[in-house]
Structures are given as C-alpha cells and as structure tokens.
Amino acid sequence: MATAMSGQPPLVDPAELIADPYAVYGRLREAGPVHRITGTDGLPAWLVTRYDDVRQALADPRFSLDKRNAKPGGYHGLALPPALDANLLNMDPPDHTRIRRLVSKAFTPRRVELLREPIRRTADRLLDAIAPHGHADLIASYAAPLPITVICDLLGVAPQNRQDFRSWTDALVAPDPARPETAKEAVRAMLGFFTGLLAAKRAAPADDLLSALIAVRDDEDRLTEDELMSLAFLILFAGYENTVHLIGNATLALLSNPDQLAALREDPGRLGAAVEELARFDGPAPLAIRRFPTEDVAIGGVTVPAGETVLLSLAAAHRDPHRFTDPDRLDIGRDGTGHLALGHGIHYCLGAPLARMETEIALAALLARFPGLALGVPHTGLKWRPSMRARGLRSLPVTY
Ligand code: HEM
C-alpha cells in the first residue's frame, strides 16, 4: 500500500503493515485523518484513521456496502458468484433490514446459549489431546478446530462432513500470489459444500440454524435461494475466520504481557472485560468492510468523492489516543466499552454474543489447564498471514 495526499504522508512498507500494523496506522493517523492510498489490489482507496471519524462512518447511511455504488472500474473485489455474494455485508437497507430481521428470528439467544456446554466440552477435548506433549501450535490444535466445531454445530454440519475450513478461508483472505487459482478453487469448493448441505437440510430438517433459516418467513417474506446460500457462507466465513484469530491474537497478547496475564489468572471474573480489551488491542479485523459513499462526503476536512472506495481502519481507531488513554498498552482493567472490533451501526456483528462466549470459554479453559503457558518462539519468529484485511497468526507455538 502506498499513500499520497496533502502534506507529507509517510511511506508504507507492506511487510511492516503485516508485522506491525499499529505502527503503520499510528503514523498515518498522526499524519492525517484520511489518506488516499493504493490498496493491495492496485486500486485507489481512502483510508480513515481516527476513532471518531471511523465510528461515525460505520453508522452513516451515506456509506454504502452495495458494490453497485462503486464508480465504474473503481473497485474489483473477489468475484464471487451470486449464490455467495448476496450477503448482508454487500447490502444496504431495505434488503439488509429485511434479511437481518429474518435471520434474527432464527439466530436467537437461545440457540447461542445451547452452544455453551458443547463449546466447553470441545475446548477440554482439544486441550486433553495436546496436554501430554508439553508444546503445541495453538492455532492448528486449538484456536482453529474450536470454531470449526462450533460453527458446524451451529449450522448443523454432521461430524463426518466437517472440513478444515482454514484452507478455504485462507485462500480467500490471504491468497497466495504464486497460486492465483486457489481462491477460485476455494469458491468452487464452498459452493459445492453449501449446495449439498442445503439440499440435505431441506430433505431432513433438524434443530440447527440452517434448517431454521430455510423455514423462516416473515408474512410473505422469505429468503431467496441466493440469499440463503450467501448467508450460510457469510456465517461460516465471518464466524469461523474471525474467531480463530481473536483467540490466537488474544492468547499472544496475554503471553506478551505477563502482568496482565497474572491479573487475569488471579481474578478470572475479569475475563469478560479482558476479552473486550483484547478485541480492541489486537482484533482480527484491522479494517471494516469497504464502503462506497453515495455522495461526496467530508471526513476530517477532506472530501471523499462519491463512488470511491473507503477503508475504515478499526486498528487505527483502536489505538487513537484521543479515545483510549495509553492506547498501545494492554490493560484488562479498562472499562472495555467503545471498541469497534465487532463493528457499529446496522452491520454490527450478527454473531457478537457467540464470538464473546466462544472467546471467553477458549481463554478460560486454556489458562486453567496450563498454569505455565509460555510463548514457544521469540516474538520475531512469529509469522502473520500476509493480509491487510485479516490479522492473524499462521501458527502460535507455545510450551506448557
Ligand atoms: C471474534 C469474532 C468476530 C469478530 C471480531 C467479528 C467482527 C465483525 C465485524 C467488524 C463486523 C462488521 C463489519 C462492517 O460493518 O464492516 C461483523 C459483521 C458480521 N459478523 Fe462478525 N465477527 C466475529 C464473529 C462472528 C460470528 C461467530 C458470526 C456468526 C456466527 C459472525 C457473523 C457476522 C455477520 C453475519 C456479520 C454481518 C452483519 C450485517 O451486515 O448486518 N461474526 N463481524
């Protein structure tokens, strides 16, 4: 990503952006509220850096998520087929409102609560498996398989049909430039997977979210086939991908801040607030979904023209000293409110209660099991996935 705007914007080194996005975004935030940048796709975008501006824009209806509001040639994201693309994160009201209303009839607090015990059991089973070894890669053995199991339980994927969704989601969020085919292959595989799954649920409905979504109606309103499929895809993708990396990033943050880890071990009742702080400190989504202004919009004194691509940097907002005191410090004693890690406004994370519950259970089980948990490699040896859109570790070696 390169930047060019008024003043003297600092240059951005893509490798640094992956290794330490907070340093890069911090410099950009200090240099100005909005920067015209060249994204990793080679196209121009506007990056918003300050907390107040980011929060306001997240809830501003003039910032559309519908790609039809992008100016011609101004944006080309991953070309998804309509059966995956008709999802909430590409939509504005009234379609968005209609679909969210339908989903909330099926994705109820009761359904989330029913997952609590299964999540605990899965966490314990995964920890049982690695306990004898004394060392493990926590991403591969814990942070990834836990959300896979949860999302499959939620959607109603039978154990024999579960897959390691990591290869698919990795192919989409952090494509390998040497293998441009992998993203397309992942899309094909996901489409095939969901087509089969939906057919199975229609034939034999069960007590799971997918069956409930098939059945859900609102007077004459119901989900179209594309909407249903896209929703299942979004829930799998957003629910799985983000949770793996929040658990991973949170564990790393605690292991890197022994005083905060000790405070949490001493008083596990602080876990709820700690998860909020960990989501602020190093959440899995450095950027919100791209948005397109439907008219020229002034942000921080800069006019962003209609139809251009706007990137709201949650990572930059979370380290804004005007909003958070001593923002680069992990402090589980903060009040925990105000972060934007789960979004804000009408697109606020649909799975937020599940995300919180899952992360809390994962951290509680891990810390209780391994009193001597420590990082297995020096910080400089950690490898991050090569994506500016998704912050997560390739692996997290630990000893215990
Ligand atoms: C730690 C975990 C998670 C994080 C950090 C996270 C983050 C987010 C964020 C930032 C947004 C808003 C994007 C924007 O406005 O640009 C969002 C939306 C969404 N999330 Fe999550 N999420 C997590 C877990 C989940 C889970 C577990 C599910 C489902 C089971 C889920 C489903 C969704 C859906 C469907 C939306 C779109 C909502 C809409 O457009 O109305 N997420 N999430």
Side-chain angles (χ1 to χ4, degrees):
M1 161 168 121
T3 100
M5 210 199 66
S6 54
Q8 293 177 325
L11 282 174
V12 174
D13 168 6
E16 191 192 5
L17 188 68
I18 303 304
D20 189 358
Y22 301 104
V24 174
Y25 286 131
R27 286 201 301 272
L28 289 171
R29 194 184 51 243
E30 269 161 39
V34 184
H35 296 273
R36 193 164 159 74
I37 62 163
T38 304
T40 40
D41 56 4
L43 292 171
W46 299 80
L47 183 86
V48 182
T49 61
R50 295 184 183 168
Y51 178 89
D52 287 345
D53 295 333
V54 169
R55 187 170 190 280
Q56 206 173 338
L58 281 169
D60 184 334
R62 292 174 301 171
F63 290 94
S64 166
L65 271 75
D66 186 335
K67 285 179 256 186
R68 286 171 299 189
N69 285 315
K71 69 176 190 197
Y75 171 79
H76 60 75
L78 186 71
L80 287 175
L84 301 181
D85 215 32
N87 70 58
L88 291 168
L89 286 176
N90 287 325
M91 278 178 193
D92 301 329
D95 281 340
H96 177 269
T97 323
R98 175 176 59 85
I99 293 183
R100 259 217 70 146
R101 197 174 52 227
L102 286 168
V103 185
S104 58
K105 291 176 126 191
F107 198 176
T108 56
R110 169 191 157 272
R111 198 173 287 291
V112 174
E113 198 47 46
L114 280 177
L115 294 169
R116 184 181 295 275
E117 277 314 309
I119 297 174
R120 281 211 182 106
R121 281 199 299 275
T122 306
D124 284 339
R125 179 173 54 76
L126 294 167
L127 293 172
D128 287 344
I130 59 170
H133 306 312
H135 64 90
D137 166 11
L138 266 195
I139 300 292
S141 59
Y142 190 60
L146 182 65
I148 288 179
T149 311
V150 175
I151 216 78
C152 287
D153 283 350
L154 176 72
L155 289 173
V157 182
Q160 65 273 21
N161 298 331
R162 294 182 181 184
Q163 322 234 354
D164 185 351
F165 298 122
R166 206 149 51 116
S167 62
W168 293 347
T169 54
D170 272 355
L172 298 191
V173 296
D176 180 353
R179 296 196 57 216
E181 269 308 296
T182 48
K184 282 192 190 139
E185 280 162 22
V187 167
R188 264 198 299 276
M190 285 182 150
L191 207 53
F193 176 77
F194 281 114
T195 307
L197 189 58
L198 280 172
K201 292 295 162 194
R202 269 191 218 288
D207 184 15
D208 55 51
L209 180 59
L210 217 49
S211 301
L213 287 172
I214 290 171
V216 89
R217 282 165 192 276
D218 196 1
D219 299 323
E220 289 309 296
D221 231 356
R222 55 178 300 183
L223 296 167
T224 68
E225 203 57 27
D226 279 352
E227 287 167 355
L228 185 59
M229 186 98 145
S230 300
L231 192 59
F233 164 74
L234 176 64
I235 288 175
L236 172 92
F237 195 88
Y240 165 64
E241 160 76 21
N242 282 318
T243 315
V244 176
H245 296 294
L246 180 56
I247 295 171
N249 296 359
T251 305
L252 173 64
L254 288 170
L255 295 179
S256 313
N257 290 272
D259 60 326
Q260 298 301 302
L261 177 57
L264 185 55
R265 283 190 183 283
E266 216 159 274
D267 183 2
R270 299 170 80 173
L271 188 58
V275 166
E276 303 304 316
E277 168 66 352
L278 289 158
R280 177 197 73 85
F281 184 76
D282 199 5
L287 300 170
I289 301 297
R290 78 283 167 285
R291 279 149 163 87
F292 311 105
T294 52
E295 56 187 77
D296 294 0
V297 180
I299 311 173
V302 178
T303 298
V304 178
E308 305 238 324
T309 304
V310 175
L311 300 175
L312 306 171
S313 174
L314 307 181
H318 286 158
R319 301 295 185 97
D320 184 342
H322 292 288
R323 175 59 182 80
F324 300 100
T325 311
D326 203 359
D328 292 324
R329 207 169 87 80
L330 178 73
D331 176 4
I332 63 161
R334 283 182 209 272
D335 80 355
T337 58
H339 72 72
L340 306 169
L342 295 160
H344 172 64
I346 62 166
H347 292 280
Y348 183 73
C349 179
L350 184 70
L354 177 58
R356 291 190 159 103
M357 184 168 91
E358 217 175 321
T359 309
E360 279 186 33
I361 295 174
L363 292 177
L366 179 69
L367 297 183
R369 179 71 67 103
F370 301 133
L373 190 69
L375 209 52
V377 292
H379 259 97
T380 47
L382 291 168
K383 295 220 165 31
W384 295 90
R385 294 182 317 154
S387 168
M388 67 181 276
R389 284 185 295 148
R391 169 128 169 115
L393 291 159
R394 280 190 200 270
S395 64
L396 178 55
V398 293
T399 60
Y400 39 85

